[in-house]
Amino acid sequence: MKITLPRSEYETLLAHARAHLPEEACGLIAGTQDETGKQIKKVFLLTNTDHSNEHFTIDPKEHLAAVKEMRAAGLVPLGNWHSHPESPSRPSEEDKRLAYDSKASYLILSLMERDAPVLNSFHVENGQSSKEELALIDG
């Protein structure tokens, strides 16, 4: 599954994650999907109600509002994203355990190296994760 992410949306996500250090930042991704893959059109920046550097819970009211906004814009939910302030860009055991939607993409932004952030996308199913092809595009 190939996923495209506009560089401008990546920059928005990155700025939000950096602003919330040392906590994990989180949100949703929305866009379109076809036989070629997923096209992220909008990144939603939501509140981590856990205020933790090791895990996150998305604020349920913000989650619902984001889904309503997606639908109004003709977009579909594609998955979620969160940051790892102090660990690599790969799903933790908790991330895999809590990945309930096998159709979703899970983007993880590592800020372990503050000047060299790493963003990857993962497919998680039955507790197993595999890396998805992620490309930043102009826009």
Side-chain angles (χ1 to χ4, degrees):
M1 174 73 57
K2 181 175 182 177
I3 300 166
T4 57
L5 173 64
R7 196 169 303 280
S8 59
E9 290 297 305
Y10 167 74
E11 294 296 336
T12 299
L13 180 156
L14 179 60
H16 183 75
R18 284 181 166 154
H20 285 82
L21 285 169
E23 297 177 0
E24 285 192 2
C26 59
L28 300 175
I29 55 173
T32 57
Q33 184 171 353
D34 58 26
E35 63 282 346
T36 66
K38 296 177 180 178
Q39 301 81 37
I40 299 171
K41 305 290 186 190
K42 183 164 176 58
V43 172
F44 289 83
L45 311 174
L46 306 180
T47 302
N48 175 1
T49 59
D50 293 340
H51 300 289
S52 167
N53 66 342
E54 296 180 339
H55 50 86
F56 73 98
T57 299
I58 291 175
D59 180 292
K61 289 180 183 172
E62 291 180 3
H63 186 271
L64 184 60
V67 171
K68 286 181 179 178
E69 187 178 329
M70 284 176 208
R71 290 185 178 145
L75 304 175
V76 296
L78 298 176
N80 69 45
W81 72 271
H82 72 279
S83 62
H84 281 183
E86 300 159 5
S87 60
S89 174
R90 64 174 178 254
S92 66
E93 289 306 312
E94 179 176 316
D95 291 338
K96 289 188 268 191
R97 192 178 81 248
L98 296 175
Y100 296 116
D101 185 355
S102 64
K103 293 182 183 80
S105 291
Y106 297 90
L107 274 60
I108 300 176
L109 174 70
S110 173
L111 295 171
M112 198 167 74
E113 299 290 330
R114 297 290 190 249
D115 295 330
V118 176
L119 180 67
N120 287 307
S121 182
F122 298 90
H123 171 83
V124 182
E125 192 167 356
N126 300 320
Q128 301 296 313
S129 67
S130 57
K131 201 169 170 182
E132 298 177 314
E133 182 184 350
L134 177 65
L136 293 182
I137 58 171
D138 291 332

